[in-house]
Structures are given as structure tokens and as C-alpha cells.
Amino acid sequence: MAELKSGLVLEDGESLVMEIEAELWASSSNPIAMAFGKIAKLFAKILGYRVNGFLVITDRRVVEVSNTVQCYCVKAGRKVTYVLPSSVKEIGYTKEPTCGIFCPAYKLYYEGFTQRKEVLLAGADDASAQKAVDAFYKAISASQKGNV
């Protein structure tokens, strides 16, 4: 069993397709927004607060993982959510212009019956965003076929 950066432990025979670390501090790929995000992250780190978010895609499942650390080393919270294939209506990515047209922000999104989630893909381009969407779709499809 392999352990990932997110802390998720894979099951026997399960293989990792993609582990996406969510950019939680910057609102876009705009260099100014990234700088403000880094400043906010620095202040939070000085105060002892950290939060990491991951979207883990394996050949069998899709899992959201969020870890919170307070007071520099106290693991304050962890949220692990399985994305159920029956709850996903739509998967895709968006490319939004920021800072004019020079810094596009790529966001992977999926929409369910009760919520919509977006994950900013740091340093992405069209090909890598498409690869992430395809991996998500294949994991959801394979999971649905296994349950039928």
C-alpha cells in the first residue's frame, strides 16, 4: 500500500492515476493574484495555520482530501470525501482570462446534484487540463461499471 502526499492510503491493487494539489490561496494564475496568495499563505504560516487540499484520482475512485494544521504542528482537521459516480452530472475544465489575456486560469470542475466543486490547476495548459478531466471521467466510469 502506497501513501500519497495527501495522506491517503491506496488499497491493495489500486493504482494512482493523478494527485492534484489544489491551489487554495491564489484565486487565479494571474501573477498579481499569485503574489497576494503567497503573502496570505506566508501570514497564515507565521500564525501557525496551514491547509492543504488534494483531488486524488485512482483507477477505482475519486477522493477529495483536505488537511488542516493549527498552532504549527497540531493536526486540527482532516476531511476525506469520496466522489460517488452516481452523484456526478458533469465534469470539465474552464479557461478564464486573468490579467488581460496573458495569464489564463485553468479550473477543473465537477457538478453534482447538490454541489459544484472547482479546483484551480496551478501551471496548467489545455493539454494537462484535458488530461485531468479525462482521468477523472475514466475513474468515475470504471467505478460505475464495477457497481452494475
Side-chain angles (χ1 to χ4, degrees):
M1 289 189 248
E3 189 167 330
L4 308 174
K5 189 175 177 183
S6 61
L8 185 71
V9 178
L10 297 178
E11 298 172 352
D12 289 330
E14 185 176 29
S15 62
L16 177 69
V17 174
M18 187 175 295
E19 183 178 40
I20 302 170
E21 185 169 2
E23 173 59 63
L24 301 175
W25 296 97
S27 58
S28 71
S29 296
N30 176 340
I32 296 168
M34 299 277 291
F36 282 130
K38 287 181 181 180
I39 291 169
K41 187 176 182 179
L42 176 67
F43 278 119
K45 195 176 248 188
I46 290 170
L47 297 173
Y49 180 78
R50 283 190 330 237
V51 63
N52 296 324
F54 297 91
L55 184 65
V56 181
I57 303 171
T58 71
D59 58 344
R60 295 184 189 170
R61 58 190 172 153
V62 176
V63 184
E64 297 173 7
V65 180
S66 177
N67 300 312
T68 306
V69 175
Q70 293 178 346
C71 297
Y72 300 101
C73 62
V74 178
K75 293 182 180 179
R78 177 175 175 85
K79 182 179 178 183
V80 177
T81 306
Y82 283 62
V83 178
L84 301 176
S86 61
S87 69
V88 177
K89 294 190 310 183
E90 183 178 324
I91 305 164
Y93 75 92
T94 61
K95 176 184 175 183
E96 300 170 355
T98 60
C99 192
I101 59 170
F102 302 109
C103 303
Y106 289 89
K107 295 180 182 178
L108 173 100
Y109 75 89
Y110 54 97
E111 188 166 335
F113 292 102
T114 59
Q115 65 183 1
R116 178 184 170 103
K117 292 272 182 138
E118 286 187 343
V119 177
L120 179 65
L121 302 172
D125 59 2
D126 282 314
S128 61
Q130 185 65 47
K131 182 180 175 185
V133 170
D134 290 342
F136 191 111
Y137 178 76
K138 287 176 185 174
I140 293 292
S141 296
S143 180
Q144 265 185 331
K145 289 176 186 174
N147 290 337
V148 173

